[in-house]
Each structure stands twice: as C-alpha cells, then as structure tokens.
Amino acid sequence: MGWLGNIAAAGRIRLAHYGAALSAGTALAGPFLGGLTGGAAGKARLAAALATPEGQRQAFALQRALLPTALKPGQDIAAYANTGTAIVTRHADVIEVLENEADFAVVYEPRMRRLTDGENFFLGMQDGAAYTRDVTNMRAAVRRGDLAGMVVPLAARRAAEIVAAAPGRLDVPLELARRIPLHLLDRYFGTPGPSEAVMAEWTTVLFWYLFADLDGDPKIEAQAMTAAAGLRAWMDGAIAARKAAGSGGDDILGRCLALQAAGQPGMDDLGIRNNLIGLVIGFVPTIAKATTQALAQLLQRPAALATAQAAVRAGDDALLAACVFEAMRFDPGNPMIYRRAVRDTTVARGTLRALHIPEGTMVLAANLSAMFDPLAWAAPEEFRTDRPWAQYILWGWGMHTCFGEHINRAVIPQILKPLLARPGLRQVAPIEKGGTPFPIGYPVAWNAG
Ligand code: HEM
C-alpha cells in the first residue's frame, strides 16, 4: 500500500511542478512577446516584469521545469574573476552547492581585502584555521543569550517609540526599518558611527559593493572606497577611545577588548576592527531591506495580514514570526547566493539535469527558486504559517549561513510589531528602490486614534 500511495503522491507533486510552470508561462507570455516584438518599450516592460518578486518567481517556476540547471560559458559577471556562469534552481541543487564549500567557494575575498585595506573577513574565507578563529571570536562577543535580555528589548522599545511618534504614516525603510539596526549598533555593538545617517550610508554602499555590484560598476567601487576609509578611521578611533577610557563595557566592542586583554589570537586592534566592519556591513541594509519587503508582502495579502495582526493582538510572537518569515519567502533579501567552482565538478549527479561545472565558473544558487520548488516544499504558492523554520533558505545555507540569523529571527518581527498593531495599516505607494538594490522608500499609513 505504501508504494502505491507514494506513486500517487509523486504524481500529484509532479503535476503541481508542471502546473506551476504552465501558469507562470501563461503569465509571462505577454511580457515576453512584448519584449521580442515591442522594441525598446517592450523590452523595458519585460525587464520591469522580471524585476518584481512575482515576475522572478514565475521565471524560476518555468526554469525549474524546463532548464533547472544551466551553464553559460564566458565572463558575464564582471565583479569577480570567472570563466562562465551557471545557475541551479531546484531546492536539492541549491542545497548541494551551498553545502559543498570545498568545491564551491565564496568569492568575496578580494573586495573584502580592499575594504579592510589588508585582511580578509570570515565571509570571504573557505574552511580553515582563520575562519574558525574569527567566527569563534565573534560568537564569543555576539552571544545568542543576548537576544532575550538585550537585543529584543532594545529593538522593541525603539520601534514602539518611533511608531508612536509618527503622525499616522511613515516611510518604512528610512524612518523605521533601518533605524532599529542602527540603534542596535549604538547600544548593543557600541559602534554607532559618526551619526545614524553616515552609518546608514557607509554600510549600504559597502554591502552593495560586496554583494550586489556584480557588474563591477566603477562608481560603486569609488563610493565604497570612500566609505570604507571613513568606516576604518572611525572604528580605529572608537577602539582607541574605548581603550583609553579603560573600561570595557558589556557591549560587543567591550567584549572584543576583553578577549584581547585575555590574549585571544586574532583579537588585536586590527582584527577587532576588521571583524566589526564585516559585521556592521551585514547588519543595517540587510535588516532594513528584509523588514520592508516582508511588510510589503503582508500588505498585499489581506488574509496573511489579518493573521499577523491577530498574532500581535494576542501577543503570539511565534505566530507573528512565522507570518513574517513566510512573507520573506515571497521576496527574500537575497534571492540568489553565488559561489565559484574551485575545480571541475558536477551538480545533481546521476539525474537528467546533472550539470558539469568547469573550474572557475560562477554558480548562482537561486534560493528564492528553491523555496518555491514543489518537489521539496508543500504547496509552495500558498502563504502558510506552519512551515518548519529550518527549511527556509532566507539567510544562506551550510558553512556560511548568516552569522546574524538568530538576530534577524528575533528582531525583524519586533520592528514590524508596533506597525501591525495600528488599525487600518495600508501601503501608500509601492516599494521604491531608486535604481539601487535596496528599498529607499515605502510609505505606509494607518487610522488615527
Ligand atoms: C535579514 C537580514 C539578513 C539577511 C537577509 C542576511 C543574509 C545573509 C546571507 C544570504 C548570507 C550567506 C552569504 C553567502 O553564503 O554567500 C549571510 C552571511 C552572513 N551574514 Fe547575514 N543577513 C542578514 C543579517 C545579518 C546580520 C544582522 C548580521 C550581523 C550580525 C549578518 C552577518 C553575516 C555574516 C558575518 C555572514 C557570514 C557568515 C559566515 O561566513 O560564516 N547578517 N547573511
């Protein structure tokens, strides 16, 4: 009986797989035809359709069914040396690439070194002694136990104050979502920077340069070099000032200095500076973007929004978090994670979609696509709050899984909580990115009183 049931289930799942591709193909047929026949305007409309999270999900649904793994020889990605670009779109293949760090290495090292003016940062390292040393040091300073006692109360209080002071409307990324991580950099890290505005600008351009500037735009590079010099000088000054003051303080910087005093390898002033630079770059634009995009997904789905709002009213933080992370699945901060093959290798070995990947190929692991793969996810098109947290690929996978994943998990719902508590919460205009990879505007409003 078991195998008969399995055959039926496998048939249903495959039907869903091809059904998703068919409906995506139907939805994209118009824009594709327009792109082929409509001249520059048609191409612009196609590009705009594919730039939306919905368009990306549709394109991936088609690709998962028709060409789940693909390789294009020749260097298209300018930012990092490579011999071609491959893409994998199925859940199993995305996991395979991200778990196999011996074959698929992170590429960020040269840009990391330019930002620190010397050393690498652990996200740019392959497995080895330096990686273990730096992650261990930073885990000793940024502790999971801080969440309940320090991080969540700080984030919750600041978010509540900001929303309470707003006149029935606010711009989510600029006035709320980025101000909470900036507040945490001040109160939890002990590294506020010269001002919130400057720290926001520095971390945003540095993140852009490291992770989003695949075309290698010289303008972004120039801005990043200026920002990096400013951030290095500010961090050097903050470390020196804290040491001169003589007292450590129980924040991240203070704990780093305590590790230094205890003779911990890798924790000299430069080591502390470079690790903190890496962490603050990961802290601000990421949380701001993910929070804004999660809210936009909720506001587009009345039933999901009602569930999130009911969770807030009932004080059910677990359900609120489930709503927020399910919303992020529909528009994750990082829709793709990239690696470079360090030797000739094969993904999806032994399957019809097996792909030989030559050494030097950039490999795009499409985590947005993976999270909509019906072969691995139950009813992926449905907004559900009962998915296991461990299944989400919102912050990478494998060795380089986000260092801040527990911070994200705790903080993002807290940022949205006071907004979701407001009656009549609604979007005033769609997310505006202004040609950047980040939301720079997302006005929302609510009913007064
Ligand atoms: C919603 C917010 C965030 C998102 C979407 C996000 C996303 C990611 C992703 C996708 C990766 C894996 C990159 C790769 O494998 O190439 C990653 C790694 C990393 N993230 Fe985050 N991140 C977020 C917040 C944070 C925060 C708050 C911090 C700092 C506390 C942080 C620090 C890091 C670091 C240091 C790594 C490298 C980990 C390693 O190499 O072991 N991130 N993040």
Side-chain angles (χ1 to χ4, degrees), residues 95-265:
I95 298 293
E96 181 183 335
V97 166
L98 295 178
E99 280 186 345
N100 183 2
E101 77 92 32
D103 285 355
F104 300 109
V106 283
V107 296
Y108 318 110
E109 177 171 358
R111 288 193 167 207
M112 290 285 185
R113 287 190 188 277
R114 261 172 260 158
L115 297 191
T116 62
D117 198 21
E119 289 306 308
N120 198 355
F121 170 70
F122 62 86
L123 175 51
M125 297 177 192
Q126 275 200 276
D127 197 14
Y131 178 85
T132 305
R133 181 199 64 194
D134 287 356
V135 173
T136 305
N137 285 340
M138 288 303 103
R139 291 240 176 265
V142 184
R143 303 172 195 152
R144 204 157 160 187
D146 297 337
L147 293 175
M150 208 185 313
V151 176
V152 166
L154 280 171
R157 205 165 31 239
R158 191 81 185 108
E161 282 166 10
I162 290 172
V163 175
R169 64 190 148 74
L170 59 69
D171 186 50
V172 178
L174 299 191
E175 292 177 318
L176 177 66
R178 79 177 194 188
R179 295 191 63 196
I180 307 308
L182 287 164
H183 181 61
L184 290 171
L185 283 193
D186 177 12
R187 304 288 290 276
Y188 175 48
F189 271 60
T191 58
S195 69
E196 276 198 358
V198 171
M199 204 58 162
E201 189 189 316
W202 281 348
T203 53
T204 302
V205 74
L206 293 175
F207 186 93
W208 187 349
Y209 173 67
L210 276 173
F211 304 111
D213 171 38
L214 291 180
D215 292 339
D217 181 344
K219 269 207 326 274
I220 301 300
E221 167 137 10
Q223 286 173 22
M225 291 308 114
T226 307
L231 183 54
R232 284 197 306 270
W234 188 88
M235 280 287 182
D236 287 339
I239 292 168
R242 186 71 73 90
K243 285 172 87 165
S247 78
D250 192 28
D251 55 18
I252 306 305
L253 176 54
R255 291 173 186 171
C256 287
L257 291 171
L259 289 168
Q260 179 181 86
Q264 186 72 12

